[in-house]
Amino acid sequence: MIPTNQFRNHDHLFEQVCHNRATEEEMEQAENLLQTMEQRLEKQIDQWETVEQLTQRRSVSSTMKWVAGVAASLLFILMVSIVNKHYKEQEYAQLQMTEDTFDNPEDAAAEAQRALLKFSEAINKAIE
């Protein structure tokens, strides 16, 4: 922080330089003052930029965590539905295998005899 009496000196110096009444020493002081102010300003800008970069990194990081969480949830839901569908298909296949395909035993016997006859004919052809 610059003390109040230095502000008065700076005001006086500013007036001298603006009205072309400054001596070489006052011009040198003005240049030094400008350099000092420029350095302070650059330092402040660098600090603001650092803070902004950290904020952006945190923002991107939290956004990526949120997106990854949503993607993981969707993947989990998809996998559960696929597994559920697979188990339902297996249950349905087992049900079909355990159910009788014929309501009448005579029809079932005739179909079995026809299948065995076809199988026998195929075996006989293979042997010849």
Side-chain angles (χ1 to χ4, degrees):
M1 196 52 101
I2 301 174
T4 309
N5 61 348
Q6 282 188 349
F7 275 130
R8 288 187 197 123
N9 289 341
H10 293 192
D11 288 343
H12 172 72
L13 186 60
F14 179 72
E15 281 184 33
Q16 296 293 357
V17 170
C18 286
H19 297 294
N20 290 329
R21 294 182 285 187
T23 63
E24 281 187 35
E25 184 180 327
E26 289 173 332
M27 287 298 284
E28 192 175 309
Q29 286 177 351
E31 286 178 18
N32 289 340
L33 178 63
L34 284 175
Q35 285 178 352
T36 303
M37 290 173 69
E38 187 176 331
Q39 288 171 352
R40 286 181 184 171
L41 184 60
E42 285 177 4
K43 184 178 178 182
Q44 185 64 47
I45 290 171
D46 289 342
Q47 288 174 347
W48 288 336
E49 187 174 340
T50 303
V51 168
E52 185 177 346
Q53 287 174 352
L54 288 173
T55 304
Q56 286 177 347
R57 270 192 225 137
R58 287 184 192 139
S59 174
V60 168
S61 177
S62 64
T63 301
M64 289 303 292
K65 287 178 185 176
W66 187 82
V67 168
V70 169
S73 299
L74 291 174
L75 183 63
F76 178 74
I77 291 170
L78 179 68
M79 292 305 295
V80 166
S81 66
I82 288 172
V83 168
N84 190 25
K85 181 180 177 185
H86 177 70
Y87 282 124
K88 283 185 180 181
E89 287 173 354
Q90 278 185 339
E91 286 177 8
Y92 182 73
Q94 285 177 349
L95 270 175
Q96 281 189 336
M97 290 171 62
T98 58
E99 286 183 7
D100 290 335
T101 55
F102 293 96
D103 292 333
N104 186 350
E106 289 90 21
D107 291 341
E111 185 66 30
Q113 195 164 6
R114 192 172 63 84
L116 288 172
L117 184 62
K118 265 185 164 177
F119 179 70
S120 174
E121 288 173 358
I123 294 288
N124 287 337
K125 279 184 184 178
I127 292 175
E128 293 175 359

